Amino acid sequence: MRISGISVKELARKYGTPLYVYDFSRIRENARRLKTAFKSDEVQVDFYYAMKANCHPAILKIFLEEGYGMDCVSPGELQLAIQTGVKPEHILYTGNYESHDDLKAAFNSGVKINLDDISSLYRLLKVGKPELITYRINPGKGNGKYEEITTGGDKAKFGVPFEKAVIAYENAIKAGIKRFGAHMMTGSGVLETDHFPRMLELFLNELSVIRSTLGINFEFIDMGGGFGIPYYGDDEVLDIEDVGKKTLEVFRKKVKEHQLGDPVLALEPGRYLVGDAGYLISRVNGIKEGYRTFIGLDAGFNTLIRSALYGAQHSIVFDGKEDETPSLKADICGQICENTDIFTKDRMVPEVAEGDLAIFTQAGAYGNVMAMPYNLRYRPAEVAIIDGQDVQITRRETIDDYLNRIQNIK
Ligand SMILES: Cc1ncc(COP(=O)(O)O)c(C=O)c1O
């Protein structure tokens, strides 16, 4: 197997495993494809990269060059975005259960603040009064690939329920805030085209109630991210052109119908932009014929947690065996001392051997950013393929990274 022309064997030999590899040209292609899909002469569309998906500074730079702003969720992300050169006016800060210090960091840096609750407004006002605020509204419905990544609806911890949204904005008006945005993010990994225009229509209907009750204008309406990518099995490619076309149609129609003025449409994609540009290369350490057959890798949930967290399934390719007929049924697991350290169960794979390379595709989003040094297995190195050349962009963690933080031992 090759990634952007470079053999995975060579990458594994040079940098060791487990190893994250990113095809930077693919990230750029994704960024441009999404922008093209939402191109409109009538509506201004602003793009904020959801940097939680993968916040490597070299990746942030690509989005900066491609004209994306940043969607940040913590003071750390905010600091990194600003240090990478993103202008505060191109940053949206969306926290949840924000602390005084979180809000202080957001307020002092002059970014747009998107509040998760009415109570957040009062915590913010203790720090200062911005000219503009946005609320994340939970429109009462959501849809995600898994329940765990369904972020709208009555089971989600996020946002102001629509029933309280009028009060939320009214309180902000009473506090003297003059300018407003509106935000929703209802789920991640969505592969159905119609979900996006449908949720936007519901949201715009709800915003019309707020507008007609309070007479406020929304300067921008942010419909979040959520654009899915195929990972495994029957997953199909999302027709992003169709999503863009139908979403813009609904936006134009409903904004006009509800006399919502001339708001900007904002998007916050993460997974769609970086997911399929990333690979995790791991090695088969051992194959156990136990009560079940296990293929044990040197990557585990410490490296890629999506399967343990949501039951997410990835395509796993065994290098050099891509064309072999799968004849072995096995569970594929890592080395962590937890029984949840299992990537997949009963997967049909070719006859594999110790030392084979197992490559997880679609590992660019919510991969290394969620990695952890549990069991003191160090976080992997990261390599970018740029113009056909491999470049290490993060070194592998070592014992020193752990020990450097240890204090006060006699
Ligand atoms: C507020 C917000 N915006 C954007 C995103 C990005 O979502 P995705 O990676 O599915 O595009 C998320 C992800 O959960 C989010 O919570």
Side-chain angles (χ1 to χ4, degrees), residues 157-392:
K157 71 165 181 164
F158 301 103
V160 179
F162 169 63
E163 293 72 20
K164 292 189 173 169
V166 170
I167 297 174
Y169 281 100
E170 194 174 25
N171 290 357
I173 296 168
K174 282 186 191 147
I177 291 166
K178 301 261 171 349
R179 296 169 48 209
F180 301 98
H183 174 280
M184 70 166 176
M185 167 69 201
T186 58
S188 189
V190 182
L191 289 171
E192 298 107 53
T193 305
D194 289 344
H195 161 79
F196 299 96
R198 206 173 44 234
M199 287 307 301
L200 184 63
E201 181 165 357
L202 168 71
F203 193 42
L204 293 171
N205 289 342
E206 294 183 348
L207 295 186
S208 108
V209 175
I210 302 171
R211 154 124 188 101
S212 59
T213 313
L214 302 173
I216 56 173
N217 271 325
F218 296 105
E219 292 185 16
F220 63 94
I221 295 171
D222 186 330
M223 58 179 278
F227 308 114
I229 56 168
Y231 278 93
Y232 179 67
D234 300 337
D235 287 358
E236 282 181 13
V237 176
L238 180 66
D239 185 346
I240 201 70
E241 246 181 67
D242 201 31
V243 172
K245 195 169 131 254
K246 289 181 173 156
T247 304
L248 283 165
E249 249 167 49
V250 163
F251 190 75
R252 278 192 299 265
K253 185 171 146 233
K254 287 283 162 184
V255 162
K256 195 166 168 206
E257 182 185 319
H258 296 312
Q259 300 179 332
L260 289 170
D262 192 18
V264 169
L265 174 64
L267 302 177
E268 289 172 3
R271 185 188 313 276
Y272 183 83
L273 299 171
V274 289
D276 70 357
Y279 302 79
L280 169 62
I281 305 177
S282 67
R283 203 176 278 285
V284 176
N285 281 341
I287 300 160
K288 182 190 285 181
E289 297 293 347
Y291 289 113
R292 306 170 64 80
T293 301
F294 292 96
I295 299 174
L297 307 178
D298 62 4
F301 76 48
N302 54 314
T303 331
L304 178 66
I305 202 173
R306 297 188 64 256
S307 305
L309 205 55
Y310 325 124
Q313 294 297 298
H314 279 259
S315 295
I316 305 171
V317 177
F318 291 90
D319 181 41
K321 301 189 170 170
E322 295 86 336
D323 299 328
E324 289 183 18
T325 314
S327 53
L328 176 70
K329 194 198 267 189
D331 295 0
I332 302 180
C333 63
Q335 297 179 273
I336 292 299
C337 299
E338 298 284 347
N339 217 20
T340 50
D341 186 25
I342 298 203
F343 290 110
T344 188
K345 290 189 171 168
D346 292 332
R347 178 78 60 101
M348 291 304 297
V349 296
E351 284 298 326
V352 293
E354 284 183 14
D356 280 357
L357 293 175
I359 299 101
F360 292 73
T361 59
Q362 281 80 26
Y366 308 105
N368 198 43
V369 282
M370 288 188 177
M372 64 180 92
Y374 183 41
N375 283 187
L376 278 195
R377 291 205 172 271
Y378 306 118
R379 278 177 279 208
E382 293 179 287
V383 164
I385 313 285
I386 307 168
D387 299 329
Q389 304 293 320
D390 49 291
V391 184
Q392 180 165 297

Side-chain angles (χ1 to χ4, degrees), residues 52 70-74 77 91-96 98 106 111-116 134-136 158 183 185 222 268:
K52 64 180 80 64
M70 292 295 151
D71 159 39
C72 300
V73 295
S74 68
E77 285 194 355
I91 296 177
L92 184 65
Y93 185 91
T94 299
N96 64 95
E98 315 88 333
V111 300
K112 287 179 235 156
I113 302 176
N114 184 26
L115 298 171
D116 187 62
T134 302
Y135 280 108
R136 176 173 184 161
F158 301 103
H183 174 280
M185 167 69 201
D222 186 330
E268 289 172 3

